[in-house]
Amino acid sequence: MSAPVSRASVLAIYLCSFLVGCVLMGFEMLGSRYLNPYFGSGIGAWASLISTVLCALAIGYFAGSAIVDRQPTTRTIGTMILIAAAYMALVPATADTVMADILDTVGDGPTATLMASTALLLVPLTLLGTFSPIAVSLLTRSAGEAGRVAGLVYGVSTIGNVVGTLVTTFALIPTIGSRAITYYFAVALAGCAGILFIPFDKKAS
């Protein structure tokens, strides 16, 4: 098990778990807006988006479990989140060019929509997917509480998923442009990274 973390670190990890969950699913909803002008918003586009999200999370979980074996820290997951924020911040300026290039070279079939979804979502959501397994490792002090901690982390993250999906779809998209929302998401992730970089446990170490 990892070394015990302070109460402040515990609260920071759970807060970031919620916020990362919000952004993760919120960005999936935005993905449909980026794809729509080029590939439509039908069931094929949604199948591509959902499949990409699930693949990204699977890769992130595997990568996070590998990082767990190498003395994970809050700084490690903060770095992952910061890189995801930087990638997300580039999306508004580059998405149209990428989507148009894929449409021109591959067409608008299943391969094209999968490529477009991958270009938008795979990297940032894979990085965000590393959060939960590392967070569980940091918060678990004994084997006996591993299940409870895992349930709490994934539960808080899933609540964030629900909030991110509903707020993005019914509140943000109708009132704010998709590109502006993407920038807000990037800022929120950068804020999470900043919280995780704070050395809460410095005195205890």
Side-chain angles (χ1 to χ4, degrees), residues 1-3 68 72 132-141 149:
M1 300 298 164
S2 58
V68 163
S132 291
I134 300 174
V136 170
S137 174
L138 290 171
L139 294 171
T140 301
R141 295 181 175 87
V149 170

Side-chain angles (χ1 to χ4, degrees), residues 70-152:
R70 301 181 180 182
Q71 297 182 339
T73 64
T74 54
R75 183 173 291 271
T76 300
I77 47 179
T79 300
M80 297 292 185
I81 293 173
L82 188 60
I83 297 171
Y87 188 101
M88 206 171 284
L90 294 174
V91 167
T94 60
D96 284 333
T97 300
V98 173
M99 298 298 107
D101 286 346
I102 292 173
L103 183 64
D104 291 341
T105 57
V106 185
D108 60 356
T111 300
T113 55
L114 279 170
M115 288 178 63
S117 297
T118 298
L120 282 173
L121 303 176
L122 187 67
V123 171
L125 299 196
T126 293
L127 291 166
L128 296 182
T130 65
F131 181 94
S132 291
I134 300 174
V136 170
S137 174
L138 290 171
L139 294 171
T140 301
R141 295 181 175 87
S142 67
E145 67 175 12
R148 179 180 63 82
V149 170
L152 285 172

Side-chain angles (χ1 to χ4, degrees), residues 9-31:
S9 287
V10 170
L11 293 175
I13 290 170
Y14 280 119
L15 172 63
C16 290
S17 180
F18 175 80
L19 292 175
V20 166
C22 286
V23 171
L24 197 153
M25 290 304 296
F27 192 53
E28 179 185 3
M29 304 309 295
L30 286 183

Side-chain angles (χ1 to χ4, degrees), residues 19 26 52 69 92 155 159 169 187-188 190 200:
L19 292 175
T52 302
D69 295 329
I159 292 171
T169 302
V187 170
F200 292 113

Side-chain angles (χ1 to χ4, degrees), residues 18-34 46 88 121 159-186 188:
F18 175 80
L19 292 175
V20 166
C22 286
V23 171
L24 197 153
M25 290 304 296
F27 192 53
E28 179 185 3
M29 304 309 295
L30 286 183
S32 69
R33 307 297 291 178
Y34 283 109
W46 276 106
M88 206 171 284
L121 303 176
I159 292 171
N161 294 157
V162 174
V163 172
T165 299
L166 296 177
V167 171
T168 301
T169 302
F170 296 112
L172 297 181
I173 289 177
T175 57
I176 307 173
S178 297
R179 286 163 175 75
I181 300 170
T182 305
Y183 286 128
Y184 291 146
F185 283 169

